[in-house]
Amino acid sequence: MAYHTLARADRKARHLAAARYYESLGSDELAGAVASHYLAARRDAAKESEASDLVAHARVALGSAAARATALGSHEQAAGFFEQALEITEEPSERALQLERAGEAWRRVGRWDRAIARLREAAEVRRSLGIRRDVAGAVEKLGEALSAALRHDDAAAVLGPAVEEFADLTDEPEGVALFTTAARAASNAEDYARGLALVETALPAAERLDLPELVATALAAKGGALRALGRGYEGLADARAAVELADVHASGEEALRLRGNLLLALYDVDVAAAVRDGRAALQEARRLGLRGQAITLAGNASEAARWTGEWDWALSELDALLDGDLDPVDRAWLQVNAAVLRAWRGEDVGDRVAILDAAERGSQEGTWYESLGRDLDSCLGLAHGGRLLEARARAREYAGLSSLNAPPAFALAARAALWGGDHVAAVEDLRALEQTGVHGLLVSLRRTTIRAGIAALEGRAPEARALYLEAQRGLFDHGVAFEAALVGIDMAKLLGPDDPEASGATAEARPILERLGARPFIALLDAALDTSGRTGLPLA
C-alpha cells in the first residue's frame, strides 16, 4: 500500500537507487535483482528517452542474469530472463538472438513446445534480415529441436529444403552444422541411407574448417547410421571416437549428448556397461541442469536395466522425473518404461496404460506412441503365461516400427514362441533377428538361447543343454542377471523339470527373481517345474 502511494517519479528514483546499489556490489548473484529494478523503473519513466535508456540497462542486466543462471545449470530460470528480455527488445537482429537463446534454454529443460515456438520465430526474423549464414544457423537450431522432440515429419520439412537452399555454405560453420543436424535427424527418422549421405558431406567440411566439435557430432551421426545398416563394429568405433573427441573439444552439453549416443551403441554389445555409463551420464546431466538430456538418458538406461535387473534404480529415476511437468512425448516414454518394470513385479499398471492411450490421441508422432504401446504389450504378454501369442505378435510389430529396438523385440518374440512350443515361429524369429545385421555380445547370447530352444523342441536335448548353459553363463558373466534368470525358465519349460542341468539353472534363477520381486516370472518358473512336458504353456 505504501508503495502504490508513491508518485511515479519517486518509485522510479527508488528503483534506480536499488539497481545502482546492487550493481555497486559487483556480485553476479544480484544480476536478476538489478534487472528487475531497471524494468520497474522503466515502467514508471515519464519520457520515452528515459525509458529507452533504462531498457538498455535492463537488457544488459538480464543478459548477465541469464548467463549466470546458465552457468549454474538453472536453464529454466535462464529462459525466464530471456523471455523478459524479449518483452523489451524490438531491434530485429537483437530480437533474433534473444529468441534463439530462449529457445535453446527451453530445449535444455525439455520444454519442446516453447523451444520450437521461439526457434521458429527466430528463423523467421533471421530470414527477414536476409543474412544467409544467420538463416542457416537459425534453421539448424529449429531442426535440431524438432528432431529431438521426435517430430520427424516437421524436422524433415524444415531441414530437407534447407540443405538444398544452403548447399553452397559448406565452407561456413553454419552450413556444416546444418548438414550435420540434417544427418542426425534423418537417422532419428530411420532414413539411414540419407543420414549417411548427408554426414559424408558434413565430415570433410568440418575437418577442412578445423571444427572438432562438429567432427565429433558428425562421427556420432555416422556411427548411428552405420549400426542400423548392419555395420555395427564400424558404427561403435565411430561412436567411441566421437566421445573421445568431444571430451577434449566440445561443450559439456554436447559431450554428454554424445555419451548418451554411445550408450545406445553399447546396448547390443555390453548392456551392463550401457546401464553403468547411463547412470554416470544421468548424474552429470542433473549436475548441469540439462533435464532434456536427463529424460533421454533415464529412458534409454532404464530400458537396458530391464535385462540387467537394476529395477530399483531405474524405477527411482523414472518416478523422480515423472513427478515433474513433462512434455507428453517424454511422459509417455518414461511411463511405459516404469510400467514394464512394475508389471514384471506383478503390480497393476492399468493407470499407466490409460495415460499412454491419452498421450497417443494427442500425439503428432503416431508411430512413436504406437511403438511404445507394442513394447508395453509384448512385455506384459511375456509375463502373463496365457498371453504368449499376443506377446509374440506385439513384439514383431514393435520390431517393424523401430529398427533400433528390433533385436530385443525379435528375441522377446522368439522366447514367447518357444515358451508356447511353436517351433516354426521360433525359427522365423531367429531368422528375423539375424537379418537385422546387428552384432554384439548380448545379441549373440540371445541367438544362442533361441537356438537352444529350437534344439530342445526338435528333441536334440544334449545340444540344447550345452547351448543353454553357454548362454546363461555368458549372461551372468556380463551382468545381465534378469535375462540369465529367464534362461532358467527356458530350460525348465523346454528340457523339463527333471533334467539335471535344468535343475541347476533354475536354482540359480530363483534367487534373482525373488530379489527383483518378479512374481509373474516366479509363477512361470513354478509352473514349469510342476509340468513334465517340454513345450510349456500353450501359445493361445
Side-chain angles (χ1 to χ4, degrees), residues 417-457:
L418 290 166
W419 284 5
D422 191 329
H423 172 270
V424 173
V427 171
E428 289 177 353
D429 296 333
L430 175 60
R431 185 180 302 115
L433 175 57
E434 291 172 337
Q435 287 174 348
T436 65
V438 175
H439 313 299
L441 175 67
L442 183 57
V443 172
S444 177
L445 291 170
R446 283 171 170 162
R447 287 199 301 262
T448 299
T449 302
I450 300 167
R451 291 192 187 102
I454 292 169
L457 290 178

Side-chain angles (χ1 to χ4, degrees), residues 298-483:
N300 288 326
S302 64
E303 287 186 21
R306 293 178 189 177
W307 309 108
T308 63
E310 293 168 83
W311 295 0
D312 286 340
W313 168 80
L315 284 169
S316 68
E317 295 293 349
L318 293 170
D319 288 345
L321 288 167
L322 286 166
D323 280 342
D325 182 16
L326 299 176
D327 182 271
V329 172
D330 295 328
R331 177 167 293 281
W333 181 29
L334 301 187
Q335 199 77 53
V336 165
N337 287 352
V340 167
L341 297 178
R342 288 200 160 89
W344 283 0
R345 283 182 161 168
E347 299 176 23
D348 179 15
V349 295
D351 58 332
R352 285 170 170 75
V353 176
I355 288 172
L356 175 62
D357 289 344
E360 183 173 359
R361 287 193 296 272
S363 169
Q364 295 184 33
E365 293 294 336
T367 301
W368 167 255
Y369 286 99
E370 189 179 353
S371 66
L372 288 180
R374 298 301 180 270
D375 180 25
L376 179 60
D377 292 342
S378 64
C379 291
L380 293 178
L382 185 69
H384 190 292
R387 290 167 53 188
L388 294 173
L389 180 62
E390 177 188 349
R392 177 177 184 263
R394 298 294 87 77
R396 288 186 66 89
E397 291 169 3
Y398 183 35
L401 291 167
S402 171
S403 61
L404 177 66
N405 293 295
F410 281 128
L412 190 152
R415 175 164 271 122
L418 290 166
W419 284 5
D422 191 329
H423 172 270
V424 173
V427 171
E428 289 177 353
D429 296 333
L430 175 60
R431 185 180 302 115
L433 175 57
E434 291 172 337
Q435 287 174 348
T436 65
V438 175
H439 313 299
L441 175 67
L442 183 57
V443 172
S444 177
L445 291 170
R446 283 171 170 162
R447 287 199 301 262
T448 299
T449 302
I450 300 167
R451 291 192 187 102
I454 292 169
L457 290 178
E458 292 175 349
R460 296 180 281 119
E463 180 184 348
R465 191 178 297 119
L467 289 171
Y468 270 136
L469 292 176
E470 175 189 343
Q472 190 181 51
R473 182 50 49 203
L475 291 165
F476 274 129
D477 288 346
H478 291 87
V480 196
F482 177 65
E483 191 141 3

